[in-house]
């Protein structure tokens, strides 16, 4: 449900007085954060997931049933065919591989020579499909055949943080899934098959510097488990949905927001991903990013109506105002954070 | 009700400049340069040293602050716990090495 305009105005006013107004902060830094392109079309095709992670900004779980319709998938492929400038398709969820049209979407985009990225949670290779019970053990071979870039969360190179965040036993399963991806050539220097890992803090603190952590992951995963990957992306936890609830329950929400606000970095702000990406929900509605999608802040056209893939006008999309809000401080803290990791 | 060591007091660290601003400014500059930069030691190594010192000096503010700082610079709980053991064993060693003084004196008294 979208907030009524009056309530939104009151909230904006309250925030400005709490010193948190993101748009004001951006303006004070002398920045004008307009969209620059739509290089990436990010589709959130389902909220169904085999896992229930503590920090999940999607609130995904095995109980969710939202699925993108076959028409919306067709329409997304048609948009890629029409717009050569949209070079990348980023498929996310939930666990997007659980969607019945997942393979068709990947094949369609590859047939159009698009770079395809899949946000793959690793364990979905090993768990039965939460609805049909089917095995998804074929995924590493499928990804390799279509030369998909695989992007997978592994909160740490040890079980302690990984299991605390993603559930007990997830670390061991993730290692097995990584072994299967490596066996297909993923992560090998010369295979061209990209396997990128994602680190995010397990609690309300900022990620460590990406380069140092990547070196630690590389050394430890190779030495202890014989595993390889390409790059590590560090991502800041967004103070929304499940993670926000956890922060509020444990009395840490205000302190976390203060930390994010204090770490505002104008250089990171310039690189926010909403300037080059558009996010689509399972009903085809457009958003500036997956986070705005989850807090119900749609991208709006010139007349204020929410935009959708069914009436897609690239020029109108590029002239939109990005809907910034409090959670945007999660993208601009420290070295910045995006679906591709740090932005500085 | 008032207590010693309120966790919220950590936010007031900057208030040490209230009555001697120039000295506080000097201190915070030195503090930031010594702990907040990658130098011959990385920020991560410095945070682990600070965590160990925080334990040795038994400062709850610093323990909270440097637990977070260690995580934010990429340390893990095993490394953090080993740093605390270094602090603990140094304190034990410092206590024990003083027994040489005891023995020296003992030998004087009991020739
Ligand atoms: S974080 Fe990813 S793997 Fe975890 S519940 Fe959310 S969508 Fe699923
Ligand atoms: S949360 Fe979304 S809209 Fe806000 S800065 Fe980040 S990418 Fe942009």
């Amino acid at each position: 449900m979208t907030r009524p305009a009056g309530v939104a105005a009151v909230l904006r006013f309250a925030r400005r007085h709490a010193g948190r107004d993101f748009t004001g902060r951006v303006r004070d830094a002398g920045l004008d954060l307009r969209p620059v392109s739509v290089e990436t079309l990010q589709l959130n095709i389902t909220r169904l997931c085999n896992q229930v992670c503590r920090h999940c900004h999607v609130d995904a779980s095995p109980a969710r049933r939202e699925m993108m319709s076959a028409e919306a998938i067709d329409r997304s492929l048609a948009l890629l065919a029409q717009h050569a400038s949209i070079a990348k398709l980023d498929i996310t969820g939930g666990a997007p591989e659980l969607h019945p049209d997942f393979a068709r979407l990947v094949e369609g985009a590859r047939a159009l020579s698009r770079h395809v990225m899949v946000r793959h949670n690793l364990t979905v290779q090993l768990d039965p499909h939460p609805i049909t019970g089917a095995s998804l053990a074929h995924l590493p071979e499928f990804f390799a055949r279509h030369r998909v870039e695989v992007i997978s969360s592994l909160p740490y190179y040890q079980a302690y943080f990984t299991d605390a965040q993603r559930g007990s036993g997830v670390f061991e399963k993730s290692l097995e899934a990584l072994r299967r991806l490596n066996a297909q050539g993923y992560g090998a220097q010369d295979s061209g098959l990209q396997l990128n890992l994602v680190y995010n803090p397990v609690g309300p603190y900022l990620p460590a510097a990406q380069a140092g952590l990547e070196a630690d992951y590389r050394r430890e995963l190779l030495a202890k488990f014989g595993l390889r990957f390409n790059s590590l992306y560090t991502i800041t936890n967004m103070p929304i949905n499940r993670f926000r609830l956890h922060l509020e329950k444990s009395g840490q929400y205000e302190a976390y927001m203060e930390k994010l606000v204090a770490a505002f970095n104008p250089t990171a702000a310039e690189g926010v991903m909403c300037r080059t990406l558009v996010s689509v929900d399972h009903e085809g509605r457009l958003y500036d990013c997956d986070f705005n999608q989850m807090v119900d802040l749609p991208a709006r056209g010139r007349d204020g109506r929410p935009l959708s893939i069914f009436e897609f006008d690239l020029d109108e999309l590029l002239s939109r105002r990005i809907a910034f809000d409090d959670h945007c401080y999660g993208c601009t803290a420290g070295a910045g954070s995006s679906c591709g990791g740090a932005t500085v | 009700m008032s207590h010693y060591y309120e966790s919220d007091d950590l936010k007031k660290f900057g208030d040490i400049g209230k009555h001697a601003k120039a000295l506080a400014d000097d201190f915070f500059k030195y503090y930031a340069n010594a702990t907040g930069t990658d130098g011959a030691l990385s920020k991560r190594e410095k945070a682990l040293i600070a965590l160990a010192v925080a334990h040795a000096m038994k400062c709850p503010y610093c323990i909270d602050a440097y637990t977070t700082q260690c995580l934010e610079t990429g340390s893990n709980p095993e490394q953090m716990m080993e740093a605390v053991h270094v602090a603990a064993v140094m304190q034990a060693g410092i206590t024990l090495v003083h027994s040489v003084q005891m023995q020296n004196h003992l030998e004087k008294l009991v020739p």
Side-chain angles (χ1 to χ4, degrees), chain A residues 156-157 205-206 208 216 259, chain B residues 44 71-74 76-78:
Chain A
Y156 208 65
Y157 52 78
Y205 53 92
L206 296 177
D216 290 349
K259 181 185 269 290
Chain B
R44 175 194 301 200
L71 294 176
E72 292 189 339
T73 49
N76 61 50
E78 278 172 31

Side-chain angles (χ1 to χ4, degrees), chain B residues 74-85:
Chain B
S75 290
N76 61 50
E78 278 172 31
Q79 294 163 335
M80 291 155 67
M81 205 54 220
E82 281 187 20
V84 175
H85 277 289

Side-chain angles (χ1 to χ4, degrees), chain A residues 22 238 272-274 288-289 291-292 322-325 327-328 331:
Chain A
F22 185 83
M238 279 286 158
V272 285
M273 63 187 171
C274 45
D288 302 302
C289 68
F291 305 121
N292 282 9
I322 296 171
F324 293 119
D325 207 338
H327 60 275
C328 296
C331 291

